[in-house]
Amino acid sequence: MDNFIQRGIKESFLSNLDTAKLSILEGARFVGKTTFIKSILPEWNYVDCSILNSEQIREYKNDPVNFIENIGRKTIFDEAQLLPKIELIMKSIIDQSNKNGQFVLTGSAPLSRTSLGGTDSLIGRKTTSRLRPFSQKELKGKRNPIISKLFSKANLAQDKVTSKEEMIRIIKTGGIIGFPENDEAKQNYINQILRIPYQFTRVNIFDLQNVLTYLMLNTGNALSWQSITNKIQNIKVDTAKRYVESLKDKFLVNELLQFSPGTMNIKNFSHPKIYSFDSGIAASIINTQNPSKDYFGELFETFVVNEIISQISWEKEVYKIYYWRTLGKKPKEVDIVIVNEKNEVIGIEIKAKHSIGMQDYDGLNKLDEELKNGLTNGFIVYLGGEHFKHQKWNVLPVESITS
């Protein structure tokens, strides 16, 4: 365990464990859920639901309540989505006691969200956490999230230049430990990620791969359903929407909805921004499918967005993350908009370059005008090594959010 990399959500997960009868840990395959949960709860019982033998499965199906009660409380059920009706069974068991911290379920698919005709059967009884690929901050051995500091205007500056070559290396490496080196091996690895979560789901794997490839080639762009159907043969809009939802449900893509300054809420459900859940996977698919095009800007944005999303999950306070864009032929945009519990708003622009020009502040300036109380703070994250302030906006080296 000496080489174990500590995860940023450790404190928040353990805190949640004491506040609910059941704790759920979700995340894509191969992000380290099993290693994480066994390391922080070493005294708990552990059941890997993916390797139950036929007799154990038969016992569970015949009398699931008795099967679980015989194992006992303080038990981790890993890949619990493989157990039929596990949400309803857990509800009946945990309601027999008022104690918190009875069970932990992990899953590479959502748990407890579609039971009982679409309602959450475990509402009020569980907490849910998401484990994501390792962030760059975690890989550096640090777990101090910066989100609250962005609102407090604390000094975050780390004056270090990041070369394009170094950033490409970081992006390609991604956050999945043990990711294969060459693109062919990575593609096989990606196919495993796609196939395992869907082995009991009625989907066309070939079409699913095509939709994922489209999303990776357009990572960081606002989603156009018409564009998907134009690019992928024999895919209708309804099918495309179902497959994108499936990829979201298996945590393979992240979604940012559009922010509305007027209502402090979501503006447009129809054009979300979609990002790969891991920059290394996106880079591999892009390099395989379209190696001649330079996707550095899109991949750098994907990297920063994922870094921010990960660190939001480590914070005690609840934050909502969006993007913002105006209408028109020359829209103004802010890549990341974060809203805290006080309805304070910060904006973050992401620039894959080493110097900042006057036009790079346009998005922040416009959003600041649109908000009744203005932006609480605004940032431009870039590859340069100097932090400075221009008018009211802060320009930060990317090293500032990963150190």
Side-chain angles (χ1 to χ4, degrees), residues 71-100:
I71 296 172
R73 286 171 169 76
K74 300 292 182 182
T75 295
I76 302 160
F77 288 92
D78 203 359
E79 295 298 335
Q81 79 279 355
L82 300 177
L83 296 178
K85 299 182 179 179
I86 183 62
E87 302 95 335
L88 295 177
I89 304 306
M90 276 294 168
K91 178 179 180 293
S92 67
I93 294 173
I94 63 179
D95 281 353
Q96 297 172 17
S97 170
N98 290 324
K99 291 184 178 180
N100 291 331

Side-chain angles (χ1 to χ4, degrees), residues 214 222-233 235-238 240-241 270-271:
Y214 173 88
L223 188 59
S224 166
W225 300 112
Q226 192 60 50
S227 179
I228 292 181
T229 58
N230 290 340
K231 291 287 185 180
I232 304 175
Q233 291 184 349
I235 290 282
K236 297 180 179 179
V237 170
D238 288 345
K241 288 183 177 181
S270 62
H271 295 287

Side-chain angles (χ1 to χ4, degrees), residues 267-312:
K267 183 177 182 180
N268 194 329
F269 284 91
S270 62
H271 295 287
K273 271 192 171 186
I274 300 292
Y275 294 89
S276 170
F277 81 116
D278 179 74
S279 64
I281 285 183
S284 177
I285 292 177
I286 288 170
N287 191 51
T288 301
Q289 299 294 325
N290 195 359
S292 61
K293 184 178 176 181
D294 184 1
Y295 278 85
F296 179 67
E298 291 89 339
L299 289 171
F300 180 63
E301 181 179 331
T302 298
F303 168 81
V304 174
V305 167
N306 285 341
E307 193 77 18
I308 294 295
I309 288 175
S310 290
Q311 293 188 39
I312 283 176

Side-chain angles (χ1 to χ4, degrees), residues 21 32 99 116 213 258 308 328 351 392:
K21 296 180 179 181
K99 291 184 178 180
L116 299 176
T213 297
Q258 192 170 356
I308 294 295
K351 303 296 180 183
K392 60 195 300 186

Side-chain angles (χ1 to χ4, degrees), residues 147 150-151 336-339 344-348 375-379:
I147 311 304
L150 295 176
F151 283 89
I336 298 174
V337 177
I338 304 176
V339 183
E344 295 173 327
V345 184
I346 64 168
I348 303 174
L375 284 168
T376 298
N377 218 347
F379 302 87

Side-chain angles (χ1 to χ4, degrees), residues 123-335:
I123 191 167
R125 300 169 175 85
K126 52 92 177 181
T127 63
T128 302
S129 303
R130 173 86 64 88
L131 191 68
R132 303 176 185 276
F134 284 93
S135 69
Q136 191 66 16
K137 185 180 279 282
E138 287 172 310
L139 293 174
K140 292 178 178 179
K142 299 180 179 181
R143 294 183 293 158
N144 52 319
I146 66 163
I147 311 304
S148 60
K149 296 178 181 178
L150 295 176
F151 283 89
S152 67
K153 302 184 180 182
N155 183 12
L156 300 168
Q158 294 287 335
D159 288 350
K160 178 184 176 182
V161 176
T162 304
S163 68
K164 183 175 180 180
E165 292 72 22
E166 173 64 8
M167 197 68 239
I168 289 173
R169 183 195 66 78
I170 292 170
I171 287 170
K172 285 185 174 181
T173 301
I176 299 178
I177 301 299
F179 205 73
E181 292 296 327
N182 63 75
D183 284 324
E184 182 179 356
K186 285 181 179 179
Q187 193 63 55
N188 291 333
Y189 196 70
I190 292 164
N191 289 341
Q192 290 182 49
I193 294 176
L194 280 179
R195 289 177 182 278
I196 296 174
Y198 296 99
Q199 57 185 331
F200 303 115
T201 308
R202 294 178 59 187
V203 298
N204 183 311
I205 293 296
F206 180 75
D207 287 341
L208 186 67
Q209 289 171 328
N210 285 336
V211 171
L212 179 62
T213 297
Y214 173 88
L215 295 178
M216 297 305 96
L217 292 173
N218 291 275
T219 184
N221 292 323
L223 188 59
S224 166
W225 300 112
Q226 192 60 50
S227 179
I228 292 181
T229 58
N230 290 340
K231 291 287 185 180
I232 304 175
Q233 291 184 349
N234 302 319
I235 290 282
K236 297 180 179 179
V237 170
D238 288 345
T239 303
K241 288 183 177 181
R242 180 163 60 89
Y243 280 8
V244 170
E245 286 300 314
S246 294
L247 292 169
K248 285 163 52 182
D249 280 347
K250 273 59 181 178
F251 318 115
L252 297 177
V253 295
N254 292 321
E255 177 187 64
L256 296 190
L257 298 176
Q258 192 170 356
F259 175 72
S260 172
T263 61
M264 300 292 289
N265 211 322
I266 298 163
K267 183 177 182 180
N268 194 329
F269 284 91
S270 62
H271 295 287
K273 271 192 171 186
I274 300 292
Y275 294 89
S276 170
F277 81 116
D278 179 74
S279 64
I281 285 183
S284 177
I285 292 177
I286 288 170
N287 191 51
T288 301
Q289 299 294 325
N290 195 359
S292 61
K293 184 178 176 181
D294 184 1
Y295 278 85
F296 179 67
E298 291 89 339
L299 289 171
F300 180 63
E301 181 179 331
T302 298
F303 168 81
V304 174
V305 167
N306 285 341
E307 193 77 18
I308 294 295
I309 288 175
S310 290
Q311 293 188 39
I312 283 176
S313 69
W314 309 348
E315 295 274 10
K316 293 181 180 179
E317 187 174 351
V318 176
Y319 297 93
K320 296 179 181 179
I321 181 170
Y322 308 98
Y323 82 100
W324 177 78
R325 176 183 291 164
T326 62
L327 299 175
K329 293 182 179 180
K330 296 182 179 180
K332 300 292 188 292
E333 181 175 338
V334 175
D335 296 313

